[in-house]
Amino acid sequence: MQLTRRSTLTLAVAAALTLAACGKKEEAAAPGAEASAAAASGNVVKIGFAAPLTGPQAHYGEEYKNGVTLAIEDANAEKPVIGGLAVTFELVAEDDQADPKAATQIAQKFVDDKVNGVVGHFNSGTSIPASKIYSDGGIPMVAMATAPAFTQQGFKNTFRSMTSDTQQGSVMGKFVVEKLGAKNIVIVDDRTAYGQGLADEFEKAVKAAGGTVSKREFTNDKATDFAAILTSIKAQNPDIIFFGGADAQSAPMAKQMKRLGIKAPLVSGEMTKTPNFVKLAGKEAEGTIASLAGLPLAQMPKGKDYETRYKTRFNTDVATYSPYGYDAARAMIAAMKKADSTDPAKYLPALASNAYTDGVTTSNWAYDDKGDLKDGGITVYQVKNGDWVVLETVGGGAAPAVAASAAQ
């Protein structure tokens, strides 16, 4: 009987231990639920973004980022399903400070973090070195970079969201000679990949159109005092002065040109065609001419709607780059949907070959075999009464336009 009681006690203890063990197993199931949640979070599709978000070019990067943000919010509102799974797109934004070294570090971080694609970088000088890292990591990138070299490296993962400097420079070179009647032209560039590249293409087009480049000067993308350069240029008595660079330099240059009594207008590219240039240059902005890729916002296929929604979302006006950031992100997402996969290797061919036909900036967002936009228009603007007004639009699906007078 005593033996039986001991056996009963032993069985009771064993049962208690078993129940305790079962309880522990049930508690251990909680991490399994977390694992399921983690697996579900694998349906988050990360879109990397890199641009200058601090420093003198931060206004470019912030507006660019806003466009990408709006695109991702719109895509998520559509409740996308890719590969049979409901997915959520997430923006992972980094500040490359317009610095090539910072850009390459960010690129490596994005590769290590296995982002699904990258919209950016903004500058040609950051996009070009970063593109090698993305190419090695197999990650598609759609950059704002306009330097021809960006898509001439032979990488299959590089795409633009604007026309190249080859297109923009050729339009502007021809415009100043044939429409403005300029024959004696001086060129200044900031020696960045963007500024020098645009100036080089502009010079080629000027010469092809019969104009003469009488002087070529250079500065840097940190300079604000151009007195020595402009004094030297004034002696050339140029018909126009072309500047390849950003508004942080072109604005003080415009002011100093007027103070030195230089009558020639300043002509530049899209990094000058900004509200910030007009703000910085003040009344000396009058008469400045600049080109910008694509159609004017009001003429874009969905420009009016975008303008309204952008201002509602960010409480500010569209400046220059955000519609292109929007379309870049949407084109990338459209390629994922077309391929039914967020795997970069699987959707890359769709991005390269499949036209995105529902864009803000164009209804024919399609790439050639290098990653350049096939149908990129150029619009020429001039500052009049403190605002940028259209002089002429070339290509991009625009109807033939009669240029307004560029006379000051």
Side-chain angles (χ1 to χ4, degrees):
M1 188 71 178
Q2 191 176 25
L3 181 61
T4 303
R5 285 176 181 169
R6 286 178 181 172
S7 297
T8 302
L9 181 61
T10 301
L11 288 171
V13 171
L17 291 173
T18 301
L19 287 171
C22 288
K24 287 180 180 177
K25 285 180 181 177
E26 288 174 3
E27 290 175 8
E34 293 175 3
S36 296
S41 73
N43 299 341
V44 171
V45 181
K46 294 184 178 181
I47 306 293
F49 171 85
L53 300 175
T54 57
Q57 294 192 29
H59 58 293
Y60 297 133
E62 285 293 345
E63 195 223 352
Y64 184 18
K65 178 186 170 188
N66 286 349
V68 179
T69 298
L70 189 56
I72 288 176
E73 289 175 353
D74 284 353
N76 285 335
E78 296 165 0
K79 306 297 182 185
V81 175
I82 299 177
L85 298 173
V87 300
T88 300
F89 295 100
E90 179 182 290
L91 179 64
V92 183
E94 294 285 350
D95 175 17
D96 68 16
Q97 305 166 55
D99 178 69
K101 183 178 179 181
T104 56
Q105 291 171 344
I106 289 168
Q108 190 59 58
K109 179 178 184 295
F110 281 158
V111 170
D112 293 343
D113 291 347
K114 294 181 171 56
V115 300
N116 299 82
V118 174
V119 177
H121 298 223
F122 176 76
N123 305 83
S124 297
T126 54
S127 298
I128 292 171
S131 63
K132 174 65 165 63
I133 297 171
Y134 295 130
S135 178
D136 291 345
I139 297 177
M141 67 181 296
V142 184
M144 197 68 75
T146 59
F150 173 64
T151 53
Q152 293 175 353
Q153 303 173 93
F155 300 147
K156 299 300 182 183
N157 68 310
T158 54
F159 303 90
R160 296 187 199 276
S161 53
M162 295 187 89
T163 53
S164 73
D165 292 335
T166 302
Q167 295 163 299
Q168 194 169 174
S170 63
V171 167
M172 286 304 286
K174 186 176 181 180
F175 180 85
V176 299
V177 174
E178 296 184 357
K179 298 295 175 70
L180 301 186
K183 297 297 181 182
N184 178 21
I185 296 162
V186 170
I187 298 174
V188 183
D189 73 74
D190 66 0
R191 277 305 187 255
T192 63
Y194 160 73
Q196 185 174 354
L198 180 60
D200 289 346
E201 297 301 327
F202 173 80
E203 181 174 12
K204 291 177 189 176
V206 163
K207 292 177 177 177
T212 299
V213 176
S214 59
K215 194 174 184 65
R216 180 99 185 233
E217 294 279 0
F218 65 89
T219 180
N220 63 68
D221 61 352
K222 305 294 188 297
T224 55
D225 183 356
F226 306 102
I229 291 175
L230 293 175
T231 299
S232 173
I233 288 173
K234 184 178 180 181
Q236 299 292 318
N237 194 29
D239 294 320
I240 67 106
I241 297 172
F242 181 85
F243 176 64
D247 56 16
Q249 284 65 53
S250 59
M253 183 178 291
K255 293 172 75 73
Q256 291 164 37
M257 284 171 59
K258 297 290 177 66
R259 290 172 186 171
L260 286 170
I262 295 175
K263 302 299 183 183
L266 179 66
V267 178
S268 191
E270 86 280 349
M271 289 184 78
T272 289
K273 197 273 162 187
T274 65
N276 194 55
F277 169 82
V278 177
K279 178 182 176 181
L280 293 175
K283 63 182 181 179
E284 284 86 3
E286 287 294 306
T288 298
I289 296 170
S291 58
L292 175 63
L295 302 173
L297 184 62
Q299 295 179 32
M300 290 177 183
K302 293 188 175 181
K304 287 287 190 181
D305 174 68
Y306 179 83
E307 182 178 29
T308 300
R309 295 195 307 111
Y310 183 91
K311 188 162 187 175
T312 299
R313 173 65 176 82
F314 300 106
N315 196 32
T316 187
D317 292 326
V318 176
T320 305
Y321 296 101
S322 72
Y324 301 95
Y326 181 94
D327 276 355
R330 292 291 276 179
M332 182 173 284
I333 291 168
M336 293 178 185
K337 291 180 177 179
K338 178 72 175 179
D340 200 28
S341 176
T342 60
D343 183 339
K346 292 180 179 178
Y347 81 78
L348 177 59
L351 180 61
S353 63
N354 184 55
Y356 167 54
T357 59
D358 198 30
V360 170
T361 60
T362 177
S363 57
N364 184 33
W365 184 284
Y367 291 108
D368 63 17
D369 59 357
K370 290 183 179 179
D372 291 325
L373 289 167
K374 289 182 178 179
D375 187 24
I378 301 293
T379 301
V380 183
Y381 300 81
Q382 185 174 35
V383 179
K384 292 186 177 183
N385 299 317
D387 198 10
W388 290 104
V389 299
V390 176
L391 295 182
E392 182 176 86
T393 297
V394 180
V402 177
S405 172
Q408 298 184 56

